[in-house]
Amino acid sequence: MKSKAILPLFLLLLSISSFAQNAPFQKVTDPYFKLVRPEFKGDLAYETVAFVEQYWRLAGNTGFNNTVYLIAEKLEAAGYVLEEKATDSDRFTYRIESRKMKQPTWEPVSASLKILGSNENLLSSETNRNMIYQYSSSTPAEGITAEVIYLESKEVLSSLDVKGKILFSDQVSYRTLQSAVKNKGAVGVLTYDMPAYLQPEKNTTSIQFRGLRHDAKNPAWAIALSFAAKEKLKAELANGKVEVLVKAETKIYESEELTVVANVKGSQLPLESLVFSAHIQEPGANDNATGVGTQLEMAKITAELIQNKKLDLKRTLTFLWGDEIISTRRYIEEKDKREADINWGISLDMVGENTDVTGGTFLIEKMPDPSAIWTRGEDKHSEWGGSPLKVGDLKPHYLNDFILTNFEAQGEYANWVVKTNPFEGGSDHTPFLQADIPGLLLWHFTDQFYHTDNDRLDKVSQKTMVNVGTGALVSAYTLLNADAKTVDQLMLMLAAKAQIRLLTEVQLSKKAIAEGGSTKEEQLILDTWADYYAKAMDSIKDLVPADDEKTLRRILLAKEAIKAHVPQL
């Protein structure tokens, strides 16, 4: 390492210390924190979760639609006016979009699984509502009684007569088993497939929901087993022939897909907007009744603050509730149905966890930055995981560090742990990024009850929803009201973050080279981070008027300063 390259970086680190002590960015955000913190109690968020989580929600079904109607009711109570009844003077409006669905909707009614000769059910939907596969058909009312055949591999299927039998496996995929139902006369399927991060040997009753493709011409059913049920069934099979009684009642019917869009119209720049998105579907409490409820209280608080003349928003704020990814992508694409362009998008998904119970950590999933290519140091992927990106996939922007700075301030205030993870995808932030709109995800992981029927209200923390909602609203208000002072502080904050990151990466690269790593590869990492932050600095221009040549010049100089301090290894 050349000493001349380290010295300027060291001097920059001294300036960072001063920056951190003075925390000038908080001069911009503190007024919003002081507004929001007394108002965000979490009562509406928690009450909404309690209502929503009682339903197994799929677009078009009873639980999904009842959630939509509840959101509409609460929005109206907060002062939002149905768009078709609104006048030009109404700043708070909402609409319910309705669309024909490509396939029928589905909902479970009841299900049970009993080993013949036993007095108790092996499984019951009363305690395991995820036991029946999504889009399973109903059995006859009296149920289906049949022998269970265990498959230890898919190869044995070719030599077995499975007609009239129920297939069971913890080794063979459902699709393989389903083909035997369709082509070889098996009457149904029992499966077990629980990822290790769900700790199934500890959470022995958990079942992670599964689904099959709807096929009206070939109705089928399948049951997913918990660890305890799987072990019990295998033990019975070890003793000889086993027959079971399966009962399942489901509803498959034509319906419509609903989406709720609520707008707070900006007072000065109404054609610029920030969009919050929370999906309704899925059967859990944390996933994603907490996103639904937290966002609803955010909408209520925003309306109340403006109505009470404690707040004004120059740009438009939009709240979107619908079907995950599908509704958000459609909102982005259907430009004729919205007035404002989308400047920023933020997804709220699994935002209310009691981390002492779930084991999850609150995370900000960043827009793609170099940590999604080279994940090292304190950067870590969640158990969800992510495919390594390429340099061309990066999305340099100030939003990552801006959001993190605000949430860290709330974390310090509330003694609440805030962490980040590199981009992984899979939620409502993805459509924003695919449309080249700055977007990120607020969530929790790893959650040992993720997508299981143990994701219920007792795993939810009202305090966590308050913290997430507060950080989200303060971030939104700051961006929506951004002015020259905001730009100045953003530049300072981003310069400091760039300096910290480059110093960290230098130390990691030195260590990697000392251990035999490639100097060329390590230099690429440093150069990529510097380029990322230079372009992130450049992205601040979206808050600067085109005729503000002085500020645009300062941004250019800040970009050059970042690149000038990249050490040569």
Side-chain angles (χ1 to χ4, degrees):
M1 186 72 65
K2 297 180 181 179
S3 59
K4 289 183 180 180
I6 295 296
L7 183 58
L9 206 58
F10 176 73
L11 294 176
L12 289 174
L13 184 60
L14 294 180
S15 70
I16 293 167
S17 175
S18 174
F19 174 89
Q21 290 173 11
N22 295 328
F25 194 68
Q26 291 189 24
K27 294 178 182 178
V28 176
T29 58
D30 272 352
Y32 297 124
F33 275 118
K34 290 177 181 177
L35 269 181
V36 173
R37 282 172 178 154
E39 303 297 326
F40 215 124
K41 305 297 185 183
D43 293 340
L44 176 58
Y46 192 82
E47 290 167 7
T48 302
V49 174
F51 175 87
V52 175
E53 70 101 30
Q54 66 182 309
Y55 296 108
W56 211 113
R57 307 173 304 277
L58 189 70
N61 77 5
T62 302
F64 191 102
N65 291 349
N66 283 351
T67 299
V68 166
Y69 303 143
L70 175 74
I71 293 168
E73 175 189 327
K74 298 300 182 182
L75 287 173
E76 290 211 356
Y80 290 78
V81 180
L82 191 64
E83 277 189 7
E84 60 191 54
K85 298 180 180 180
T87 65
D88 291 341
S89 62
D90 288 313
R91 290 190 66 183
F92 315 112
T93 61
Y94 80 96
R95 67 178 182 269
I96 299 177
E97 299 178 351
S98 175
R99 290 175 175 80
K100 184 177 180 180
M101 296 178 63
K102 294 181 180 180
Q103 66 177 18
T105 191
W106 175 91
E107 61 188 82
V109 178
S110 65
S112 63
L113 173 65
K114 177 182 287 188
I115 297 174
L116 294 189
S118 172
N119 294 324
E120 299 179 352
N121 286 325
L122 185 63
L123 287 176
S124 170
S125 58
E126 292 183 3
T127 52
N128 285 106
R129 65 177 181 173
N130 287 2
M131 65 178 286
I132 187 160
Y133 270 57
Q134 181 178 299
Y135 279 104
S136 282
S137 60
S138 298
T139 64
E142 67 276 13
I144 292 177
T145 300
E147 180 183 357
V148 176
I149 301 294
Y150 176 74
L151 300 177
E152 60 184 16
S153 70
K154 64 180 181 180
E155 287 75 19
V156 302
L157 260 177
S158 60
S159 60
L160 283 178
D161 178 10
V162 298
K163 186 174 182 179
K165 305 293 196 301
I166 294 173
L167 305 182
F168 162 48
S169 185
D170 52 3
Q171 303 294 323
V172 181
S173 71
Y174 170 73
R175 287 189 178 182
T176 299
L177 300 177
Q178 185 183 24
S179 67
V181 173
K182 185 175 180 180
N183 301 321
K184 301 191 69 174
V187 295
V189 168
L190 308 177
T191 70
Y192 173 81
D193 178 20
M194 291 284 285
Y197 63 77
L198 296 178
Q199 304 178 49
E201 295 185 29
K202 170 187 172 184
N203 303 309
T204 60
T205 65
S206 286
I207 299 177
Q208 192 171 55
F209 77 83
R210 297 283 184 258
L212 53 87
R213 293 176 180 174
H214 174 62
D215 185 349
K217 295 181 179 179
N218 299 284
W221 58 265
I223 300 291
L225 304 181
S226 65
F227 179 85
K230 180 261 296 186
E231 290 293 291
K232 173 67 173 176
L233 184 55
K234 289 184 77 171
E236 291 292 328
L237 285 165
N239 293 326
K241 180 179 177 181
V242 173
E243 291 184 310
V244 297
L245 170 63
V246 179
K247 291 184 179 181
E249 182 182 357
T250 66
K251 294 181 180 179
I252 300 176
Y253 54 96
E254 297 297 325
S255 187
E256 57 185 0
E257 179 200 336
L258 304 180
T259 302
V260 185
V261 181
N263 288 308
V264 179
K265 188 175 182 179
S267 60
Q268 298 178 38
L269 298 167
L271 299 184
E272 299 179 16
S273 72
L274 183 148
V275 178
F276 284 114
S277 182
H279 67 86
I280 297 172
Q281 101 295 338
E282 293 189 358
N286 277 307
D287 193 8
N288 184 37
T290 56
V292 172
T294 302
Q295 187 167 281
L296 187 56
E297 186 156 345
M298 289 163 58
K300 175 177 179 287
I301 289 170
T302 301
E304 289 177 345
L305 288 172
I306 294 176
Q307 289 163 346
N308 294 329
K309 302 187 183 307
K310 295 180 180 180
L311 172 73
D312 188 29
L313 295 178
K314 295 195 301 184
R315 298 171 177 86
T316 295
L317 178 56
T318 297
F319 300 96
L320 175 69
W321 293 268
D323 197 7
E324 188 173 17
I325 297 178
I326 294 171
S327 293
T328 302
R329 178 180 291 120
R330 189 167 48 218
Y331 180 80
I332 294 167
E333 293 175 348
E334 293 182 346
K335 297 180 181 180
D336 60 320
K337 294 188 177 181
R338 55 179 168 85
E339 295 182 355
D341 290 331
I342 305 171
N343 298 65
W344 312 274
I346 298 175
S347 170
L348 285 82
D349 190 354
M350 301 170 62
V351 295
E353 300 204 2
N354 182 339
T355 56
D356 291 338
V357 178
T358 67
T361 301
F362 173 72
L363 296 169
I364 299 168
E365 180 165 313
K366 300 181 290 181
M367 294 176 62
D369 70 2
S371 71
I373 304 174
W374 301 283
T375 306
R376 61 184 193 170
E378 294 186 2
D379 286 306
K380 295 180 181 178
H381 276 291
S382 74
E383 290 282 354
W384 176 269
S387 301
L389 303 184
K390 298 178 181 178
V391 172
D393 299 322
L394 302 185
K395 302 284 188 181
H397 202 271
Y398 60 80
L399 189 62
N400 279 350
D401 289 301
F402 168 78
I403 294 291
L404 178 59
T405 298
N406 295 333
F407 274 79
E408 285 178 336
Q410 179 63 16
E412 182 177 354
Y413 171 83
N415 192 28
W416 174 53
V417 176
V418 173
K419 294 185 179 181
T420 67
N421 68 278
F423 175 76
E424 295 172 353
S427 191
D428 281 301
H429 58 315
T430 307
F432 291 116
L433 293 170
Q434 291 172 337
D436 288 325
I437 297 168
L440 47 71
L441 170 67
L442 309 177
W443 73 316
H444 285 77
F445 223 64
T446 298
D447 175 355
Q448 62 183 306
F449 305 109
Y450 170 68
H451 277 185
T452 77
D453 39 25
N454 277 320
D455 177 13
R456 302 308 300 269
L457 191 62
D458 61 327
K459 313 301 189 306
V460 172
S461 165
Q462 184 168 330
K463 184 177 180 181
T464 300
M465 289 190 286
V466 168
N467 285 328
V468 174
T470 298
L473 277 184
V474 169
S475 298
Y477 296 167
T478 304
L479 291 174
L480 294 169
N481 283 339
D483 54 16
K485 181 180 179 182
T486 312
V487 169
D488 289 342
Q489 300 309 321
L490 265 177
M491 290 176 62
L492 283 172
M493 179 272 293
L494 203 59
K497 294 289 188 179
Q499 293 161 14
I500 293 170
R501 171 59 75 168
L502 285 173
L503 184 62
T504 299
E505 294 299 328
V506 165
Q507 300 306 315
L508 291 170
S509 290
K510 288 175 63 178
K511 182 175 184 293
I513 292 170
E515 294 173 352
S518 164
T519 300
K520 182 179 179 180
E521 176 72 9
E522 296 304 317
Q523 188 65 56
L524 174 62
I525 295 174
L526 297 184
D527 291 343
T528 302
W529 271 111
D531 183 67
Y532 170 86
Y533 268 106
K535 290 177 178 176
M537 184 69 73
D538 192 59
S539 71
I540 296 176
K541 290 192 299 187
D542 69 10
L543 297 172
V544 181
D547 60 353
D548 188 350
E549 295 181 2
K550 181 179 179 180
T551 301
L552 294 175
R553 175 63 178 168
R554 289 173 55 225
I555 290 174
L556 177 62
L557 293 174
K559 288 170 54 181
E560 293 175 349
I562 291 171
K563 288 195 170 184
H565 292 98
V566 182
Q568 297 301 305
L569 302 177

